[in-house]
Amino acid sequence: MCRLFAYAAPRETTVSEVIGAENAEAFQQMTTVHNDGWGTAWLAAGPGESNPEVESLRISTPGQHDPLLTSALREGASLARLVHLRLATDQHKRTKVNTHPFVADGIAFAHNGSIIPVERFADLLHPDAYDEIEGTTDSELYFALLRQTVREVDGTVGDGVVRTLQILRGAFPEASLNAVVLTDRELIVVHANSTARVHDATFRSYGIDPAELPIDHNENYYKLAMLQMNDGTTVFSSTGIDLAGWTRIPDDTITRIDLDTLELSQRKIFGLRETATRRDHAALNDSTIDELALRRSRRAG
């Protein structure tokens, strides 16, 4: 149970620039609740290098007054960035190795949800996959399965993400699989929570008074939204900041941003394998993808 934020832009920019200083401050203040650490991953090129690579930072202490988080939000300019605020679930400790994002094979990964019981992963992961796992979280097991699946499908990271989600939904039908994936080529946002539920009792079980929660920490807790700007910048966020004017991301989809062209595409995860793509910045939605599927079906008939 965490908070996710990500963006891709045509020029190096910051979280504060793309959503405004007030929203950036509100995002950081959510660490009063999501206080089990924070992390970020971004694209950066070293001195004399032209091709950016994925860099990351993970801190296992609360971020409310952390100057490093303030700097990451206000001053950390990049073409693409993800930020994760952690609220640890179940028995998973507040440690650096349990803090998101996890990074391996040039992929940064952050998850928002709870996937239990974790023992079921033993049926999904090869035994040697555990050799690369440092922490104890379900989220890192999710990431391990993603990397395993990408290798097995011998396709793109996006193909691996879709197949991983299909496997996990079968094994964990009520889990939230929301996630952000960042590579040097693409930003992928997973919105897969239609069977997951969060109630006031959920927060009370963590010793949190629901009256003290940020906005939309209710039945909308797992919902993700996006904002497309005229210059091609696309921003994604969990609830908890002011999302007025943003567009809800369709349920059970992945949204992919090509970091070279900033082309946005959305793909259904379950059922029909359909993709909708636009180069302009009008929002895609469920009806867009369903309409595309219907047209293709008519042509095939």
Side-chain angles (χ1 to χ4, degrees):
M1 291 182 59
C2 309
R3 296 294 80 187
L4 295 173
F5 182 92
Y7 70 82
R11 60 177 180 84
E12 291 190 342
T13 187
T14 67
V15 173
S16 185
E17 285 182 299
V18 297
I19 62 172
E22 288 187 8
N23 254 347
E25 173 67 16
F27 187 81
Q28 183 165 0
Q29 288 305 309
M30 282 195 290
T31 59
T32 59
V33 173
H34 302 81
N35 60 1
D36 291 310
W38 64 273
T40 182
W42 67 96
L43 293 186
E49 297 179 351
S50 57
N51 296 322
E53 298 179 346
V54 175
E55 302 285 351
S56 65
L57 174 67
R58 297 189 293 174
I59 304 294
S60 60
T61 52
Q64 183 182 10
H65 303 296
D66 191 334
L68 288 175
L69 179 53
T70 302
S71 177
L73 298 176
R74 297 182 184 178
E75 302 167 14
S78 179
L79 294 172
R81 179 181 290 272
L82 72 84
V83 188
H84 181 274
L85 309 180
R86 184 171 183 238
L87 176 59
T89 54
D90 302 318
Q91 77 279 13
H92 305 307
K93 292 196 235 176
R94 179 197 286 176
T95 62
K96 183 175 180 179
V97 293
N98 284 343
T99 305
H100 309 217
F102 306 101
V103 181
D105 302 332
I107 304 170
F109 172 87
H111 168 228
N112 174 24
S114 178
I115 309 176
I116 54 175
V118 294
E119 291 77 16
R120 291 181 191 167
F121 275 98
D123 297 326
L124 307 178
L125 288 168
H126 302 321
D128 57 2
Y130 290 89
D131 296 338
E132 300 178 349
I133 294 172
E134 299 179 308
T136 62
T137 66
D138 53 334
S139 301
E140 192 175 6
L141 295 171
Y142 181 174
F143 184 40
L145 181 63
L146 168 60
R147 300 195 322 276
Q148 173 181 294
T149 306
V150 168
R151 292 190 290 267
E152 289 177 348
V153 300
D154 193 26
T156 65
V157 173
D159 291 334
V161 169
V162 170
R163 181 59 188 139
T164 300
L165 293 166
Q166 293 168 344
I167 293 169
L168 288 176
R169 180 56 78 232
F172 303 95
E174 296 182 354
S176 170
L177 304 176
N178 286 358
V180 177
V181 177
L182 176 66
T183 75
D184 61 353
R185 296 183 177 182
E186 58 196 340
L187 174 67
I188 295 173
V189 175
V190 175
H191 193 222
N193 60 74
S194 59
T195 58
R197 299 290 181 268
V198 172
H199 308 283
D200 285 353
T202 309
F203 292 102
R204 290 193 185 97
S205 70
Y206 288 90
I208 300 170
D209 182 354
E212 303 298 322
L213 290 171
I215 58 173
D216 283 330
H217 278 47
N218 45 35
E219 67 274 8
N220 295 317
Y221 182 78
Y222 284 127
K223 299 303 181 184
L224 298 176
M226 69 179 183
L227 179 67
Q228 295 175 282
M229 302 179 182
N230 291 333
D231 68 351
T233 299
T234 305
V235 192
F236 303 88
S237 183
S238 304
T239 58
I241 63 174
D242 183 2
L243 298 176
W246 294 49
T247 301
R248 181 184 66 83
I249 299 176
D251 290 336
D252 297 332
T253 59
I254 67 168
T255 302
R256 178 184 182 272
I257 304 292
D258 184 306
L259 296 181
D260 287 329
T261 65
L262 294 182
E263 180 178 273
L264 181 151
S265 61
Q266 285 180 329
R267 177 175 175 180
K268 291 245 184 193
I269 301 168
F270 314 114
L272 288 175
R273 183 176 174 178
E274 298 293 345
T275 301
T277 303
R278 287 185 181 172
R279 292 182 181 275
D280 62 20
H281 309 301
L284 295 165
N285 51 45
D286 283 322
S287 60
T288 304
I289 299 176
D290 292 340
E291 180 184 1
L292 178 66
L294 180 59
R295 289 179 181 177
R296 289 181 179 174
S297 176
R298 286 171 177 170
R299 285 200 299 267

